[in-house]
Amino acid sequence: MAVFLRLIGCPLTVRGKGNFAQGQNYIVLCNHNSLMDVPVSSPAIPGGNKTIAKIEMAKTPLFGMIYRTGSVLVDRKSDESRKESYNTMKKVLALGLHMCIYPEGTRNKTGQPLKSFHDGAFRLAMDTGKSIIPGIIFHTKKVLPVDKSFHLNPHKLELHFLPPIKISGYKSVEGLKGHVFNLMKEYYEQNTGGR
């Protein structure tokens, strides 16, 4: 992926890989601005990982193969599929792999830094005891704008991994979700200006 990104004029800089402790696996939460997010984030996570993706993404040209092999696919219209994907994510973590989730659920097409987060990733953290590592992705919206089909603008990409958040200090999904949202939003705002 690093070679492909350079070839299309979108070199990726990754910061914070040292936040992943050897021998531990994490729930990695990334913001979601573009179809480029999964091909950028999953290869950048140090160590084996799976990502959650809607089942339709398996049909995407070029990236469809990446989604089929490296993702836990979910049909969001099916309660059974959502339950099955949740159980599959637990199994991924039990195997020692990282699980990458986009808590906004869908691409952020608003003018805000982040859309509101869904509960699933935080419930998964509380159910499994796994720490969360926030990952903030920059500039994928510039590379693949949401309002233009088959349009690519070369631009440098960045992914910053923040220190792990242990879930032991949180008594509720809402409290954990609110903390992670505020942390990611503040970091995004502080590191976007002038880029």
Side-chain angles (χ1 to χ4, degrees):
M1 202 62 204
V3 173
F4 171 75
L5 290 172
R6 285 191 180 93
L7 287 174
I8 64 171
C10 300
L12 174 65
T13 299
V14 181
R15 296 182 187 172
K17 282 189 176 184
N19 289 316
F20 290 80
Q22 192 169 0
Q24 293 189 37
N25 63 324
Y26 301 91
I27 297 172
V28 182
L29 301 186
C30 294
N31 56 316
H32 195 12
N33 287 320
S34 164
L35 294 176
M36 284 290 288
D37 295 330
V38 173
V40 164
S41 59
S42 188
I45 295 170
N49 66 88
K50 292 269 188 179
T51 188
I52 186 79
K54 59 184 181 179
I55 200 163
E56 295 89 347
M57 299 312 296
K59 300 172 186 174
T60 304
L62 183 61
F63 295 123
M65 182 181 67
I66 296 170
Y67 285 107
R68 285 191 299 275
T69 57
S71 302
V72 174
L73 296 173
V74 59
D75 180 353
R76 293 180 300 178
K77 298 173 188 172
S78 165
D79 290 339
E80 185 178 339
S81 177
R82 285 198 301 269
K83 184 177 179 181
E84 184 180 328
S85 68
Y86 188 81
N87 290 329
T88 301
M89 288 190 288
K90 282 184 173 180
K91 291 175 185 175
V92 167
L93 291 167
L95 287 170
L97 300 172
H98 305 297
M99 188 67 228
C100 183
I101 301 172
Y102 306 87
E104 293 165 286
T106 58
R107 286 173 291 163
N108 181 4
K109 299 179 183 179
T110 73
Q112 300 301 312
L114 297 173
K115 283 175 56 180
S116 60
F117 287 174
H118 293 282
D119 292 348
F122 306 96
R123 187 173 294 114
L124 182 67
M126 302 209 57
D127 283 352
T128 62
K130 295 295 179 183
S131 296
I132 291 171
I133 288 188
I136 294 86
I137 303 170
F138 296 95
H139 312 307
T140 52
K141 191 181 282 189
K142 292 178 183 177
V143 173
L144 285 182
V146 293
D147 58 344
K148 296 180 181 178
S149 299
F150 303 106
H151 187 86
L152 186 140
N153 295 316
H155 196 286
K156 292 180 181 178
L157 300 173
E158 295 183 40
L159 173 52
H160 299 185
F161 294 116
L162 305 187
I165 299 165
K166 294 183 179 179
I167 57 94
S168 55
Y170 297 90
K171 297 179 181 177
S172 71
V173 166
E174 283 300 317
L176 179 60
K177 180 174 72 171
H179 173 73
V180 176
F181 179 88
N182 290 333
L183 185 72
M184 290 177 69
K185 180 176 180 286
E186 184 178 327
Y187 189 91
Y188 187 89
E189 289 173 333
Q190 289 177 350
N191 290 274
T192 304
R195 289 167 172 245

